[in-house]
Amino acid sequence: ISLVPTAKANTAPITAVPVTRPRLRERLSMPDTTPRSLLSTSAMTAVMGAVFAFAVGTRDIAAAAPAAVAHGMAMTFAVAAGLVVVAVAIAFASGRRERRSA
């Protein structure tokens, strides 16, 4: 018995593709709406690392107690979740303002 999947898997072309609203498709295709700048990515990584280090509470992360590392992870996740909530709120407010002006 072979563990390799057989070649007769569903390889038919997708014909029923969901239609995206044209305005959304235009916004998603703009490169400036999805920033991939190395500087901003590096800055956010540094900020989240600083949040983790601050929440762990010790300079030597390798020697930190497992509970302190767990607390650092939880706090970093909480900050990231808060940033996601803020981003969604900004996007929602922007969409409402855009619909109201149209």
Side-chain angles (χ1 to χ4, degrees):
I1 297 176
S2 174
L3 297 177
V4 178
T6 59
K8 62 180 182 179
N10 185 5
T11 57
I14 299 173
T15 56
V17 177
V19 178
T20 307
R21 294 182 296 179
R23 289 179 64 199
L24 177 62
R25 185 174 42 234
E26 289 170 10
R27 287 184 70 188
L28 292 176
S29 66
M30 289 185 217
D32 57 336
T33 59
T34 54
R36 300 198 194 304
S37 168
L38 183 60
L39 180 62
S40 66
T41 304
S42 298
M44 284 305 290
T45 302
V47 168
M48 296 309 283
V51 167
F52 175 76
F54 179 76
V56 168
T58 182
R59 288 186 179 262
D60 188 12
I61 302 290
V69 173
H71 176 70
M73 291 296 293
M75 292 303 295
T76 305
F77 181 79
V79 169
L83 289 172
V84 168
V85 168
V86 168
V88 168
I90 290 171
F92 181 72
S94 173
R96 287 189 69 192
R97 189 175 337 125
E98 192 174 287
R99 275 182 263 140
R100 196 177 318 149
S101 66

